Amino acid sequence: MNWDFDEEGGIQAFCDSCWNATDEEWLEISADTCRMICLGCLKDAAAINGFEFDPEPYRNAEGKA
């Protein structure tokens, strides 16, 4: 799993295939790709792929990202 912050401070997470896709490949696959995921699902997806992700530092005062 690969993740980064976008210009607005949001987390962008991608599998290796999407992360390594060229711009042209991404345009083709992105129309059929989930574009939003909650922090809990990101944590679960990371665990499935052998990574540890702690969403707590990214939550706001209401407990949301």
Side-chain angles (χ1 to χ4, degrees):
M1 177 173 300
N2 305 279
W3 63 280
D4 199 359
F5 293 102
D6 63 19
E7 312 78 48
E8 298 172 357
I11 298 172
Q12 300 293 315
F14 302 92
C15 67
D16 288 340
S17 295
C18 290
W19 186 262
N20 294 321
T22 64
D23 289 343
E24 293 80 18
E25 291 169 331
W26 176 245
L27 286 174
E28 288 181 29
I29 61 175
S30 65
D32 297 326
T33 303
C34 176
R35 302 299 291 264
M36 184 174 279
I37 187 170
C38 73
L39 289 173
C41 289
L42 176 58
K43 181 179 179 181
D44 292 344
I48 289 168
N49 288 284
F51 293 90
E52 184 176 329
F53 174 76
D54 180 10
E56 295 309 314
Y58 306 102
R59 297 186 188 279
N60 63 21
E62 289 79 38
K64 299 178 183 177

